[in-house]
Amino acid sequence: MSDVYLIDTHSHLNSPQFADEVGDLITRARENGVGKIVIPSYDYESNLRAIEIAEQYEGIYAQVGYHPCDLNDLTDDHYQKLYEWSKLEKVVAIGEIGLDYHWDTTTPELQDEMFRKQIAIAKELNRPIIIHDREAHGDILKILKEENAAQIGGIMHCYSGSWEMAQECMKLNFYISFGGPVTFKNGKRPQEVAAKVPLDRLLVETDAPYLTPEPHRGKRNEPAYVRHVAEKIAALRELSYEEIALQTTKNANEIFRF
């Protein structure tokens, strides 16, 4: 592997949209300079699939967790499985977890309870956490502080908040990760924040198959496209692509302990 490569820190290779294409997606990603990919999970089946893919392919890793929109049918057995999965060698984080006030599939009270419960598992097993935050910035920060999440740290996935919130997150030992929206013509907020985040707190991702970056917007996203995110951030900061690749890869290797 070249010294200059990218890590896609958040790509749903376990999505049904990719059912029969995982091998091809990984090959294309490697051809485009992506050395490692981390797969987040959201429900029971996606956890199993993420682990299966990670164990099948070199350089592919899994996160395990329950998304705030997928909590209604969970039992104590589901959380026991989460605890067991988190100990596996190819599982590197708990995620994606957090709060989502955009959709009304689960109540805010249930989301709060289960977010805290998963943070507790992460703290016990010393795993970083990957945060999903949609229209819940204030409550996310409140819970992270109350649960002392700084003890384990983690990643603010596909960051869409303000620079002020990003500063608060970084004080709590979190990295700030950017995906396709930083390349959008109307992506002023993520662009402003991406230009300011200290290099040692910066990460890149695709969130594939969602949020496809320019110039592929309108098509299905895939890990190979993370290069466009890195190139855009390099341009915003007036740095070379190689500088952004080296630093974000160093950061990902540190947070995931590769």
Side-chain angles (χ1 to χ4, degrees), residues 94-111:
I94 305 292
E96 59 186 280
I97 65 175
L99 303 174
D100 190 315
Y101 294 165
H102 181 77
W103 304 107
D104 60 359
T105 55
T106 50
T107 66
E109 293 77 17
L110 179 61
Q111 291 187 36

Side-chain angles (χ1 to χ4, degrees), residues 216-253:
H216 302 286
R217 195 172 182 187
K219 301 176 183 177
R220 188 187 66 179
N221 203 1
E222 62 176 87
Y225 296 164
V226 73
R227 184 182 185 99
H228 301 297
V229 176
E231 288 174 342
K232 179 64 177 182
I233 293 174
L236 289 169
R237 302 182 70 113
E238 297 183 345
L239 296 172
S240 69
Y241 163 78
E242 288 76 16
E243 287 174 291
I244 293 298
L246 285 168
Q247 185 64 58
T248 57
T249 293
K250 179 176 185 289
N251 297 341
N253 281 328

